[in-house]
Amino acid sequence: MHRRDLLRLLSLSAMAGATGRAYATSAFPPDRQTASTGFVPDVELSLTAAPGEAQILTGAPTRVWRFTGQLIKGPATTLQVLPGSYLGPVIRLRRGQKVRVRFNNRLAEPSIVHWHGLDVPEAADGHPRLAVAAGRDYIYEFEVTNRAGTYWYHPHPHMRTSAQVYQGLAGLLIVGDAEEDHLGLPSGEAEHLCVLQDRQVDAGNQLVFRGDNMMEMMNGFLGNRVMVSGRPQPTIDVDAGWQRIRLLNGSNARIYKLAWSRDVKMTLIGGDGGLLQQPVRQPVLTLAPGQRADLLIDLSSIAAGSDIHFDSQAYPEADAGIVGMMGMGMGRGMGMRGMASTTTAANGASLRVMTLRTRNRTGVSYHVPDRLSAFDATWAAVTGARIRQVPIVFQRMAWLLGGRTFEMGQVAPEETVAAGSTQMWEFMNLANGMGMQAAHPIHMHGRQFRVVQRSGGTTNALRAGLADQGWRDVVLVLPGETVRVQATFSRHPGLYLYHCHILEHEDMGMMRNFRVS
Ligand SMILES: [Cu+2]
C-alpha cells in the first residue's frame, strides 16, 4: 500500500466535474430535458439544488448546499419545509400518483437526483451517467408504485455523492397509501421525522469535510455530533402518549446502535420498504447508512417534565470495520484511525441523538395491531431461484463487488437479469489477505428485496439490533458475514445500480451496474 497510490485514487474525486459532464452528453439513453406530452402528472414540482445558508448553531450561519422545492401542481400538502433545516423539503406522495419533478442543478458541478427506494423507470433513477452539468435541468417522470413508507432522495453523481450529501443535499420522500391510513397511526405532533446525520463543524460554524484525507475516505467520513433533520441534538417537547418515530440514517458512514433511555421499548412497525407484516419489539436498533426504520414508543406513563434520551450506544469500533493496520503497510500504532482527525468520533462512539421531553398534556393512546400489512406474492420463498454470489473484499486499492469496481456503462454477464425475475444474491463479506474488512450496507436500486439468511461472522455488538424484517433496499453485511437476499427485479428495463451506501466507498467505486433486460 503506497500512500502515493491512495492519494491518486482519492484525487479522482476532484475530477468528477469533468467526467460527469462527459457522461451527461454521451450516447446513453435517455436524455430528459423536456417533459413528455403523453404523461399527465398528478403532482408536479421543481426541485433546485443550490448553495445556501442554514442557521444550525448560534452565531454565524452555516454554508450548505440544499434542495428547495416549489409545487407546480398537486395537493398543497405535497411539500413540507422543515423549519431551520438544511434538508430539502419533505415530499409527501401517495401510491398511484404520477409525478413530474423538474430538477434544476444550480451547483457549480454536475449532479443528478436518485429517489432512494422507489421502483422507477431507468430515466428517473438518477444513474450517475445521467448527471447534468452545472446550470442544467433534468426532468423526472414516474408513477409511485411503492408501498407506504419512508423513502428519501439524494444526489448520485459519479465520485461526488459523499461530498454533495454531506453539504446538505438530501430530503425525505414519504409515500402514503390506504393500507397505512387504515392503521390510524399517531400523526401530527406525535409523528417525528428524524434524519440522522453526523457532521463536523469548525469554530466558525462551517461544515468540515476532508475529501482529500485518504484515511477518512477509506473508512468513510465521520462527524463528531449528530444532527436530527438538520438540528444538532435537539430536545423536542412531546405529549405523554404514543409517538411515531420515522428514522433515516442519512449519514455518510456512521452505523448507529440506537436505544431509548428510561427503559422505553421500541415497537418496530416499518423498514426501508414500508410497513412490516407484524410489529417487532426490540430494545436496540442497528441503523446503517441509507436504512430507514419506522417505530412506535409509548410515553403515556412517563411523568411530565421527564427527559427521554435517544442515544447511539457504544460498541467496539472493530464491529463496524477492521481496517488492518499492519495490512496497510504501516507500523503498529500508525493505523488508519491513528492518522485520522482527533475531532472525529469513531464508529461505535457513544453519541446523543436527541431528547424527547414530556409536557403536562396527555397524548394519543394507541393499540398496536398484531397485523400491520399484507405483502405481495413476491415475498414468498422461491425454490430453484438462481443464486449469485457477490464477494466483497478490499483488493487492488479498492473495495470490490464481485471482484470488480465501478465502470460507468459496463455490466458483467452475471449482472444481467430478466425483468420481473427472481434471484438470490449472496453478499459475502471477506477479509483480504491483510485482514482488512468492514461492515458494508449494500443498497440495490429498483425493487425492494427480502433478507433470507445471515451466516458466518463473529460476535458483533451490532448484530442484536439488526432489523432485517420486511422489505429492504439496504442490508448491512457485517464483517465475515454472508447475507442472502431474494430480489425480484424491476419490470422497468434498463441500467440500475447496486452499491455500498457508505458514501465514500461508493465514490471510491464500490458500486456496480445491473441490467434489467
Ligand atoms: Cu462499504
Side-chain angles (χ1 to χ4, degrees):
M1 175 77 54
H2 297 289
R3 181 184 169 91
R4 186 180 62 245
D5 292 339
L6 254 178
L7 287 174
R8 191 167 62 218
L9 177 76
L10 293 169
S11 73
L12 287 173
S13 63
M15 293 159 51
T19 54
R21 193 179 301 261
Y23 290 118
T25 54
S26 74
F28 286 112
D31 187 14
R32 296 305 307 269
Q33 261 89 51
T34 50
S36 51
T37 49
F39 185 89
V40 182
D42 303 301
V43 172
E44 182 166 357
L45 54 98
S46 70
L47 194 66
T48 301
E53 285 186 342
Q55 193 69 49
I56 298 174
L57 302 163
T58 52
T62 303
R63 290 185 297 276
V64 297
W65 296 348
R66 71 193 324 171
F67 287 117
T68 51
Q70 236 178 347
L71 187 65
I72 298 166
K73 178 188 179 185
T77 52
T78 301
L79 293 183
Q80 176 192 351
V81 174
L82 300 172
S85 177
Y86 56 78
L87 290 177
V90 180
I91 303 177
R92 287 183 182 270
L93 300 172
R94 298 284 296 181
R95 190 175 193 177
Q97 277 177 333
K98 288 185 173 164
V99 181
R100 176 182 291 145
V101 181
R102 299 173 177 272
F103 169 56
N104 314 122
N105 179 11
R106 300 298 176 260
L107 305 171
E109 61 183 57
S111 194
I112 193 73
V113 179
H114 169 56
W115 313 98
H116 183 125
L118 296 193
D119 181 14
V120 296
E122 176 186 32
D125 197 47
H127 192 284
R129 77 193 190 289
L130 303 175
V132 291
R136 297 290 301 275
D137 304 336
Y138 191 92
I139 292 179
Y140 295 86
E141 291 171 340
F142 58 87
E143 182 180 336
V144 180
T145 59
N146 282 71
R147 312 166 72 240
T150 311
Y151 306 91
W152 63 303
Y153 60 96
H154 62 78
H156 220 305
H158 190 37
M159 294 179 172
R160 289 294 291 166
T161 296
S162 60
Q164 292 191 7
V165 172
Y166 189 88
Q167 295 298 330
L169 290 168
L172 285 169
L173 191 155
I174 292 177
V175 175
D177 67 11
E179 185 180 54
E180 186 196 44
D181 293 347
H182 187 71
L183 295 177
L185 291 163
S187 61
E189 282 194 352
E191 181 186 1
H192 307 273
L193 308 179
C194 304
V195 180
L196 275 44
Q197 296 179 306
D198 57 331
R199 293 290 184 268
Q200 289 182 45
V201 184
D202 68 17
N205 285 356
Q206 301 311 310
L207 294 172
V208 175
F209 185 71
R210 284 181 294 275
D212 58 350
N213 183 304
M214 62 174 178
M215 293 311 173
E216 296 188 65
M217 296 301 275
M218 294 275 289
N219 280 298
F221 195 80
L222 297 166
N224 54 3
R225 61 200 304 171
V226 183
M227 309 276 175
V228 179
S229 298
R231 297 166 62 198
Q233 291 142 344
T235 295
I236 300 161
D237 289 325
V238 295
D239 295 342
W242 283 79
Q243 310 291 332
R244 180 183 189 182
I245 317 284
R246 291 189 193 247
L247 294 169
L248 157 65
N249 184 349
S251 307
N252 282 31
R254 182 171 298 281
I255 302 170
Y256 299 90
K257 187 186 174 197
L258 299 164
W260 297 89
S261 68
R262 292 179 174 266
D263 209 26
V264 170
K265 299 285 188 299
M266 49 191 129
T267 302
L268 204 60
I269 60 166
D272 298 337
L275 294 165
L276 308 180
Q277 288 172 301
Q278 295 110 22
V280 177
R281 288 170 184 86
Q282 58 187 66
V284 292
L285 172 68
T286 296
L287 203 66
Q291 290 188 313
R292 286 87 70 205
D294 198 342
L295 56 97
L296 300 175
I297 53 173
D298 177 12
L299 305 182
S300 51
S301 62
I302 294 194
S306 302
D307 283 349
I308 304 103
H309 300 301
F310 195 41
D311 292 325
S312 188
Q313 296 182 338
Y315 62 86
E317 185 182 9
D319 289 356
I322 303 160
V323 182
M325 314 295 171
M326 302 307 287
M328 290 299 290
M330 295 160 197
R332 201 173 290 277
M334 271 209 41
M336 308 200 72
R337 289 300 176 200
M339 293 182 67
S341 164
T342 50
T343 58
T344 301
N347 249 326
S350 168
L351 288 170
R352 169 92 1 118
V353 174
M354 64 177 176
T355 299
L356 301 185
R357 181 169 292 164
T358 50
R359 58 190 159 206
N360 192 13
R361 205 164 78 183
T362 305
V364 293
S365 59
Y366 190 72
H367 173 75
V368 184
D370 295 333
R371 194 94 198 147
L372 294 168
S373 74
F375 289 178
D376 68 42
T378 60
W379 180 261
V382 172
T383 49
R386 184 180 159 205
I387 299 171
R388 180 190 168 214
Q389 296 188 319
V390 186
I392 295 169
V393 69
F394 189 87
Q395 271 170 359
R396 307 199 303 271
M397 307 302 301
W399 294 105
L400 303 180
L401 276 174
R404 299 183 182 87
T405 186
F406 185 60
E407 303 164 278
M408 185 60 79
Q410 299 303 307
V411 182
E414 66 269 29
E415 292 171 324
T416 301
V417 299
S421 70
T422 300
Q423 291 189 8
M424 306 281 188
W425 281 19
E426 249 182 31
F427 299 103
M428 306 158 70
N429 196 344
L430 309 173
N432 70 2
M434 302 177 291
M436 283 178 67
Q437 205 171 14
H440 300 281
I442 302 295
H443 173 47
M444 291 177 74
H445 288 211
R447 283 282 302 268
Q448 302 278 321
F449 56 74
R450 176 165 82 96
V451 180
V452 175
Q453 176 183 300
R454 277 177 191 276
S455 55
T458 53
T459 305
N460 192 309
L462 291 169
R463 188 166 289 144
L466 289 173
D468 287 338
Q469 303 89 353
W471 292 110
R472 312 250 30 141
D473 55 55
V474 180
V475 64
L476 181 62
V477 187
L478 295 171
E481 279 190 341
T482 292
V483 178
R484 179 186 288 193
V485 305
Q486 175 178 309
T488 300
F489 295 99
S490 176
R491 295 191 174 278
H492 299 295
L495 214 53
Y496 292 89
L497 298 162
Y498 63 105
H499 61 84
C500 181
H501 222 285
I502 291 175
L503 299 181
E504 290 76 19
H505 290 184
E506 170 186 337
D507 281 350
M508 286 172 66
M510 193 178 179
M511 177 157 75
R512 289 290 303 173
N513 291 310
F514 65 94
R515 182 182 295 286
V516 179
S517 61

